[in-house]
Amino acid sequence: MSSAAKRPSGLDEIAISKLPLKKQQQIKRKVAAASTSFHWNSLYMNTDAVMSSISDRLGIPKSELLDPTSSNAAVKQAHAETHVIQETKSYFSASGVNLDAFKRKERGDTAILVKNFSYGTKPDELHKVFEVYGTIRRLLMPPSGTIAIVDFVQADHARSAFSALAYRKFKDSVLFLEKAPKDLFTSDAISRTEGTSTTGRARGAKHSTRELLESMQPQQSVNTSTLFVRNLSFTTTSDRLREVFQPLDGLLSARVKTKPDPKNVGHVLSMGFGFLEFRTKEQAQAALVAMDGHNLDDHELLIRASHKGADAAEERRRDDAAKKLAAKNTKVIIKNLPFEASKKDVRSLFGAYGQLRSVRMPRKFDSSTRGFAFAEFVTAREAENAIDALKDTHLLGRRLVLDFAAEDEINPEQEIAKMQQKAGKQADKVALQRLVGTGRKKFNLEGKDDTDVY
């Protein structure tokens, strides 16, 4: 039985060009939306672990964050998840992880993303579980303790671990495993897991670079003058870090990485790691030898060379230039928005990243929401900051999909208002015609009764 030939799926540009301009724009938007690919959220984190981490860090009970009587409990949870995700990204980036790899679909064969484990799980505990299946090159776990990366030396060991441990019960939760993206690491990091470190060295008077290098044991070669310090206490400040490292020769700066406190406006929270900048590479190498494993505020410091320190200023300039090109406007479109979310929730969530000019939630004729919204900021920089911070955040269980709104984006509410206004004018015209009659009359001004109706 013969069948009709399959119609080509491509668009006929000639036919489209003959359509009205408004129709052409609608077709182009539909094609662009259909070609957009969405990937699984590789940075998914156990919500309970996220809230436990935040409550432990802020020193408040978790019940206060999850208070069901609060009108903005969902927004609080979204802010908490956003903070943890940003902290995790910063930690992974400083540890040599290529964050752009998460945007690609290709998967590697040696690294595994470990998720959904309980809060309080130590890196050593995960290491013991995975090392049964082969030699581990590195294990990375951010200070929040909500996600981890396990990188094996051999691909077959990684496959064995993935097959055996996926969806396996671990403590009071179930492990979620995902193959990490291909080319996940920017360079070969130190084959050291979290929780293991060298023995701390005593500090005395100011050490010279030569003295420290002479007593140095074989370690990693430092090719940069900037060091990455992790496992810092959340109470350690930049001033405290600078005070401890000041006796070392060649120290230029010491800073603890911080993020805005979503609970207290104007305050910041430590992210558990920082950076040290020295005058020369040799001085940085000497500092690593002297202070790796040092106990600071009851935390044993883990120090390594910073992969981002070699050309930090140039990278910042490049990033700023790229962001300026990307930030074309100040309006953000929020897709996959929960239908239960209100305009107040959107304003509370996005208002933490800048001054909002307006928030708009298009609605249907029955007043129900359409599942998306628009947030317009005062500046393009604020809009970009909001997208960068919230693009992996969940609100009421749904992952928000954010992007800059198109410049010619149609306002559905304005379109509906125009349609209603047009329909009202037509109704008034019909009513007026009924009042004056359905036809036109010609009257004879000379008084003769010869009116013609037509």
Side-chain angles (χ1 to χ4, degrees):
M1 182 177 178
S2 60
S3 59
K6 184 178 180 180
R7 296 180 59 184
S9 57
L11 295 174
D12 188 348
E13 297 294 339
I14 299 178
I16 293 178
S17 63
K18 296 180 181 179
L19 298 175
L21 180 61
K22 184 176 179 180
K23 188 67 175 178
Q24 293 182 31
Q25 293 174 347
Q26 290 178 350
I27 293 175
K28 290 179 180 179
R29 277 195 295 269
K30 288 182 179 180
V31 172
S35 61
T36 302
S37 60
F38 297 96
H39 56 87
W40 176 254
N41 185 12
S42 297
L43 293 179
Y44 166 79
M45 300 177 187
N46 186 313
T47 305
D48 181 70
V50 170
M51 302 310 295
S52 298
S53 175
I54 294 296
S55 63
D56 183 50
R57 186 173 307 179
L58 298 178
I60 60 177
K62 189 167 61 174
S63 58
E64 184 175 337
L65 292 175
L66 301 174
D67 184 9
T69 62
S70 176
S71 60
N72 61 343
V75 176
K76 286 182 180 179
Q77 296 179 36
H79 277 307
E81 183 185 18
T82 301
H83 174 77
V84 172
I85 290 176
Q86 292 304 305
E87 177 183 273
T88 301
K89 288 182 177 180
S90 299
Y91 173 85
F92 282 159
S93 178
S95 300
V97 175
N98 181 16
L99 297 180
D100 291 335
F102 289 100
K103 300 177 182 179
R104 299 192 290 264
K105 294 182 179 180
E106 295 83 4
R107 297 287 143 176
D109 53 3
T110 60
I112 300 175
L113 300 179
V114 186
K115 299 175 280 189
N116 202 49
F117 49 83
S118 304
Y119 175 70
T121 300
K122 303 299 182 184
D124 288 342
E125 296 175 322
L126 285 180
H127 191 274
K128 291 179 182 178
V129 172
F130 281 87
E131 68 179 355
V132 177
Y133 302 93
T135 305
I136 296 177
R137 179 184 291 116
R138 60 176 75 83
L139 190 152
L140 301 176
M141 181 186 290
S144 59
T146 55
I147 191 173
I149 297 177
V150 180
D151 185 26
F152 285 88
V153 175
Q154 298 183 17
D156 55 342
H157 294 167
R159 287 192 293 268
S160 299
F162 188 91
S163 301
L165 298 178
Y167 302 107
R168 171 181 166 180
K169 184 173 178 58
F170 179 69
K171 292 187 174 181
D172 57 351
S173 186
V174 176
L175 290 180
F176 288 174
L177 303 185
E178 179 185 352
K179 291 184 179 179
K182 188 178 181 180
D183 300 328
L184 180 63
F185 296 97
T186 55
S187 60
D188 290 332
I190 308 303
S191 300
R192 177 198 297 173
T193 64
E194 299 279 357
T196 62
S197 63
T198 58
T199 305
R201 297 167 180 83
R203 289 171 42 208
K206 192 167 186 177
H207 302 281
S208 68
T209 303
R210 179 177 297 178
E211 291 173 350
L212 292 171
L213 286 176
E214 287 176 353
S215 61
M216 171 182 145
Q217 298 177 357
Q219 290 200 36
Q220 60 168 317
S221 176
V222 176
N223 295 320
T224 174
S225 60
T226 303
L227 299 179
F228 170 56
V229 186
R230 57 189 176 190
N231 200 34
L232 288 173
S233 170
F234 294 116
T235 60
T236 301
T237 62
S238 296
D239 292 337
R240 172 64 174 153
L241 185 64
R242 188 180 303 107
E243 176 187 351
V244 172
F245 282 83
Q246 193 64 47
L248 296 179
D249 190 21
L251 180 68
L252 296 179
S253 66
R255 61 185 177 88
V256 175
K257 189 70 175 177
T258 59
K259 281 289 182 180
D261 187 350
K263 192 173 182 65
N264 298 317
V265 180
H267 294 74
V268 294
L269 294 174
S270 170
M271 298 178 66
F273 64 91
F275 297 91
L276 301 168
E277 186 176 358
F278 290 85
R279 189 173 290 106
T280 65
K281 298 177 182 179
E282 291 75 14
Q283 291 168 341
Q285 176 78 68
L288 186 148
V289 175
M291 301 298 291
D292 188 24
H294 176 75
N295 191 288
L296 175 60
D297 296 335
D298 297 328
H299 281 66
E300 201 170 68
L301 301 183
L302 303 175
I303 306 177
R304 58 186 288 280
S306 174
H307 295 282
K308 298 183 66 177
D311 217 354
E314 182 63 23
E315 287 183 5
R316 282 195 296 268
R317 285 193 292 269
R318 275 195 298 239
D319 291 343
D320 290 341
K323 289 179 179 179
K324 287 179 181 179
L325 292 176
K328 296 180 180 179
N329 52 43
T330 59
K331 186 182 293 185
V332 177
I333 181 170
I334 311 160
K335 302 177 183 178
N336 201 35
L337 191 68
F339 295 105
E340 301 85 357
S342 64
K343 185 181 292 187
K344 179 181 177 182
D345 293 334
V346 176
R347 185 176 293 275
S348 299
L349 182 59
F350 284 82
Y353 300 93
Q355 184 177 354
L356 287 169
R357 180 176 290 146
S358 65
V359 173
R360 183 164 54 84
M361 294 183 66
R363 296 181 178 274
K364 301 178 183 178
F365 286 101
D366 59 356
S367 298
S368 61
T369 60
R370 293 175 176 266
F372 65 94
F374 297 92
E376 186 173 4
F377 289 85
V378 174
T379 65
R381 174 68 67 181
E382 294 172 339
E384 187 177 9
N385 291 339
I387 291 178
D388 291 341
L390 298 172
K391 59 184 178 182
D392 291 310
T393 299
H394 292 75
L395 180 63
L396 292 174
R398 302 187 70 170
R399 182 191 178 194
L400 300 180
V401 179
L402 308 179
D403 198 358
F404 287 103
E407 295 181 359
D408 57 348
E409 191 73 50
I410 296 177
N411 187 333
E413 294 177 342
Q414 292 181 358
E415 292 295 317
I416 293 175
K418 290 180 182 179
M419 293 171 59
Q420 292 176 342
Q421 185 178 10
K422 185 176 180 180
K425 288 182 179 180
Q426 292 177 347
D428 293 341
K429 186 176 181 180
V430 171
L432 182 61
Q433 288 178 351
R434 288 177 179 175
L435 289 175
V436 301
T438 58
R440 292 184 298 172
K441 294 184 178 181
K442 183 175 72 174
F443 298 94
N444 191 341
L445 298 178
E446 296 179 357
K448 296 181 180 180
D449 191 11
D450 57 350
T451 302
D452 296 330
V453 179
Y454 60 93

